[in-house]
Amino acid sequence: MSSKLPSVLSATDEEIQLLLAAQSHVGSKNCDKQMLPYVWKRRSDGVNIINIGKTWEKLVFAARIIAAIENPNDVCVISARPYGHRAVLKYAANTGAQAIAGRFTPGSFTNYITRSFKEPRIIVVTDPRVDHQAIREASYVNIPVIAFCDTDAPLKFVDVAIPINNKARNSVGLAWYLLAREVLRLRGTIPRTSDGWNVMVDMFFYRDPEEVEKQQQEEAAAKAAAVAGDQPEPTLNEWDVTSAPQAGGINPALVAGEGALDWSAEPAAAGPTDWSAEPAAAGWAAEPAGPSGWE
């Protein structure tokens, strides 16, 4: 399919490979009538395949709309789906937009008394079916809506539909990553090169809380082991006998000084021992040589 975009805005092979690797082209078995132009074909198992070329065109189109807004804080990104919570928070942190991750409070766009009242100039939602409350309120106050739409998504009150798989965690994260990068490129914040933005796409992916907790425990255990390994060995004083050679053992210092011991050598010849001989008179039986001081 010939792209309608300028050559500088056309998708590169790397970007197409990212979209295919994240299963962004895999739609659902149901297809809305208004989403038919974005469907390339239908597989034998009934799954609709989304046209990646049109996905990229609408992605760039949405980025050009967002980049035309002077104040980045006037853009509101919304995701009630858990797979998009981390993605919208990272998008808001990198582009300066407002993020609503989780439940959308009714009246946030229409009831100015509520604490969460906002007046954005445009909103971007992850799924029109799940974020229907935000889209309906935006229609009441004439706020344009950009939405990531699967093949079965309703397009009522949606102004710009980006056809993409919004049910897989990697696809949702990649969609927000590509949109954020394209907005920053159009604003001139980052250069249009492959290594112009040092933020990895993994930062936009959903992470299971159990996996995060397990990783934190492993890191804490590794840190504790490293701290234990860095502790200095205790110094031995002259009263410490725990490291002395045990009874019947060999003193390593003697082995080091005299070389290896020769266990095959015959013991040194000694005189015969006469166990029946009387012991010599001990000093206790002898008379004292002079008067002692006790007398």
Side-chain angles (χ1 to χ4, degrees):
M1 187 192 76
S2 60
S3 177
K4 300 177 183 178
L5 294 173
S7 59
V8 68
L9 298 178
S10 298
T12 61
D13 294 340
E14 181 183 358
E15 291 159 351
I16 296 297
Q17 289 175 3
L18 284 175
L19 289 169
L20 293 176
Q23 302 289 317
S24 299
H25 62 294
V26 179
S28 62
K29 291 188 176 182
N30 298 327
C31 183
D32 191 86
K33 182 180 179 181
Q34 292 178 298
M35 289 295 294
L36 277 175
Y38 304 112
V39 175
W40 178 55
K41 73 172 186 177
R42 189 184 182 94
R43 283 193 324 205
S44 58
D45 56 354
V47 176
N48 295 284
I49 303 300
I50 300 173
N51 193 331
I52 291 294
K54 292 187 177 182
T55 298
W56 181 257
E57 286 187 2
K58 297 303 288 287
L59 198 66
V60 173
F61 180 48
R64 293 170 68 181
I65 295 173
I66 296 172
I69 297 175
E70 296 84 0
N71 186 7
N73 199 39
D74 286 340
V75 180
C76 185
V77 291
I78 303 168
S79 176
R81 296 179 66 98
Y83 286 174
H85 288 181
R86 193 178 188 210
V88 296
L89 293 174
K90 292 295 182 181
Y91 178 93
N94 286 283
T95 62
Q98 301 181 66
I100 301 178
R103 180 179 179 271
F104 178 81
T105 305
S108 295
F109 295 155
T110 56
N111 189 359
Y112 63 91
I113 300 177
T114 59
R115 186 175 298 178
S116 60
F117 179 69
K118 297 178 178 61
E119 290 182 299
R121 292 189 58 185
I122 193 169
I123 67 171
V124 187
V125 300
T126 304
D127 190 347
R129 193 178 299 279
V130 181
D131 301 317
H132 62 91
Q133 181 68 28
I135 295 177
R136 183 174 295 275
E137 291 192 13
S139 68
Y140 292 159
V141 291
N142 296 327
I143 297 176
V145 177
I146 299 174
F148 293 106
C149 301
D150 209 335
T151 56
D152 60 347
L155 299 186
K156 188 177 181 180
F157 302 132
V158 174
D159 297 286
V160 178
I162 303 174
I164 200 167
N165 178 11
N166 59 10
K167 295 179 175 59
R169 67 170 73 182
N170 293 345
S171 179
V172 172
L174 178 63
W176 283 104
Y177 169 80
L178 293 176
L179 183 63
R181 190 181 67 175
E182 195 62 29
V183 168
L184 293 176
R185 284 178 174 179
L186 292 172
R187 288 177 181 169
T189 307
I190 60 174
R192 192 173 286 278
T193 56
S194 58
D195 56 348
W197 199 28
N198 57 358
V199 177
M200 297 182 63
V201 67
D202 302 34
M203 301 297 293
F204 286 72
F205 288 166
Y206 169 80
R207 295 183 64 189
D208 189 14
E210 295 181 357
E211 296 179 0
V212 175
E213 184 179 359
K214 183 179 179 181
Q215 182 180 358
Q216 290 176 351
Q217 292 176 354
E218 292 176 354
E219 291 177 355
K223 185 176 180 180
V227 171
D230 293 341
Q231 290 181 353
E233 293 294 332
T235 56
L236 301 179
N237 52 28
E238 59 182 356
W239 302 105
D240 189 4
V241 296
T242 57
S243 60
Q246 298 180 358
I250 301 174
N251 191 347
L254 298 177
V255 178
E258 301 176 3
L261 297 178
D262 189 4
W263 297 99
S264 62
E266 292 294 332
T273 304
D274 187 6
W275 299 101
S276 62
E278 290 293 331
W284 298 103
E287 290 295 329
S292 61
W294 298 102
E295 295 177 357

